[in-house]
Amino acid sequence: MLADNEINRVLTVTAHPDDVDFGAAGSVAQFVDRGVEVTYLVVTDGDAGGNERTLDNSGMAELRRVEQTAAAKAVGVTDLRFLGYPDGRVESTLDLRRDIARVIRQVRPDVVITHHPDRNYQFVAPSHPDHRAVGGATLDAVYPDARNPYAFPELVKDEGLDAWTVREVWLTGGMTPNHWIDITDVIDRKLAALQSHVSQVAHVEGFTDFVKTRFASWAERAGFPEGHYAEGFQIVPTA
Ligand SMILES: [Zn+2]
């Protein structure tokens, strides 16, 4: 596993606005506090989300980009990129792999954080098909696409983007996390990030308690003291 001082740049690749905030915003806040450059890449605009059941979701994509931008700011992230794929219809295609590999080569991260590509049979929420597709495409973009100059040669020829090897991938939402981050000192910032997604969470009664209970249970699983909160990841060495 990489030591803290070996991590200078982190790229998160998630399917929808708010995914990174549920899965990793506490860890992101701590990265930012240590001077790590963090970039968010969001594959869809979450245009199938929301609570207003009018079936006219025009404006939702734009709103969710604004909400994600505010959420990022709550944990100190200002570099956001959106791919604009349609919410609910993401597949792990060569186009998606190329689009993710492009951003990996632009950002040159040491660590990529993304969704676990396997279905979670203990807890259904992390296994949205878009999450699994994005997790799978991101792992494929990390290995082999981003590091192989002959994969998507147009990225070198037309855009001057040299190959890049990501050293670790941290997966969220899987059944077998092997690394826990104590986020107790930044739980309020994680909550602020989540609450920035007003269209998604404002109507949820007891949302703060729900979040705290969930991440306290992770801390318990991690063996942290009572009253602590944790985020869990499966770390995959990819160097
Ligand atoms: Zn999602």
Side-chain angles (χ1 to χ4, degrees):
M1 213 198 131
L2 293 176
D4 284 356
N5 64 7
E6 295 178 285
I7 303 175
N8 298 304
R9 286 184 301 276
V10 171
L11 172 67
T12 71
V13 188
T14 50
H16 312 111
D18 79 17
D19 290 338
V20 67
D21 299 300
F22 274 107
S27 304
V28 165
Q30 292 177 347
F31 279 132
V32 170
D33 287 351
R34 290 211 300 269
V36 176
E37 292 173 38
V38 180
T39 300
Y40 286 177
L41 177 63
V42 184
V43 170
T44 81
D45 289 329
D47 43 298
N51 188 47
E52 305 296 321
R53 299 282 79 167
T54 60
L55 286 183
D56 173 14
N57 257 9
S58 59
M60 182 56 77
E62 196 181 326
L63 174 63
R64 296 206 67 187
R65 286 193 187 202
V66 169
E67 290 176 347
Q68 182 63 80
T69 303
K73 203 173 160 199
V75 291
V77 174
T78 54
D79 184 4
L80 292 85
R81 323 223 177 155
F82 297 91
L83 292 180
Y85 279 65
D87 185 2
R89 286 181 281 156
V90 180
E91 293 178 311
S92 180
T93 60
L94 286 169
D95 279 349
L96 179 57
R97 283 167 50 181
R98 183 200 58 231
D99 288 345
I100 296 169
R102 172 186 291 115
V103 177
I104 290 172
R105 291 188 189 190
Q106 289 169 338
V107 172
R108 302 164 80 83
D110 306 298
V111 169
V112 166
I113 299 175
T114 191
H115 303 281
H116 203 295
D118 296 341
R119 189 182 292 278
N120 186 328
Y121 290 102
Q122 297 160 346
F123 177 45
V124 74
S127 300
H128 189 292
D130 288 354
H131 296 180
R132 288 184 283 126
V134 168
T138 301
L139 282 164
D140 291 341
V142 165
Y143 175 81
D145 303 335
R147 73 187 59 187
N148 181 350
Y150 300 101
F152 306 117
E154 64 272 25
L155 293 179
V156 177
K157 271 191 272 177
D158 302 340
E159 301 179 44
L161 293 170
D162 289 333
W164 180 256
T165 299
V166 174
R167 298 170 71 194
E168 260 176 17
V169 175
W170 294 19
L171 300 173
T172 66
M175 290 196 292
T176 50
N178 59 8
H179 185 62
W180 286 270
I181 305 275
D182 188 327
I183 57 161
T184 311
D185 63 331
V186 290
I187 188 71
D188 289 339
R189 286 158 70 193
K190 179 182 176 80
L191 271 166
L194 284 163
Q195 284 162 340
S196 303
H197 298 280
V198 174
S199 66
Q200 308 303 301
V201 306
H203 60 283
V204 181
E205 214 172 298
F207 181 72
T208 299
D209 289 342
F210 159 76
V211 170
K212 287 191 162 176
T213 301
R214 183 193 294 187
F215 293 95
S217 77
W218 279 106
E220 197 184 335
R221 192 168 163 186
F224 295 156
E226 208 178 321
H228 282 237
Y229 302 98
E231 289 172 344
F233 302 91
Q234 181 173 339
I235 297 191
V236 182
T238 55

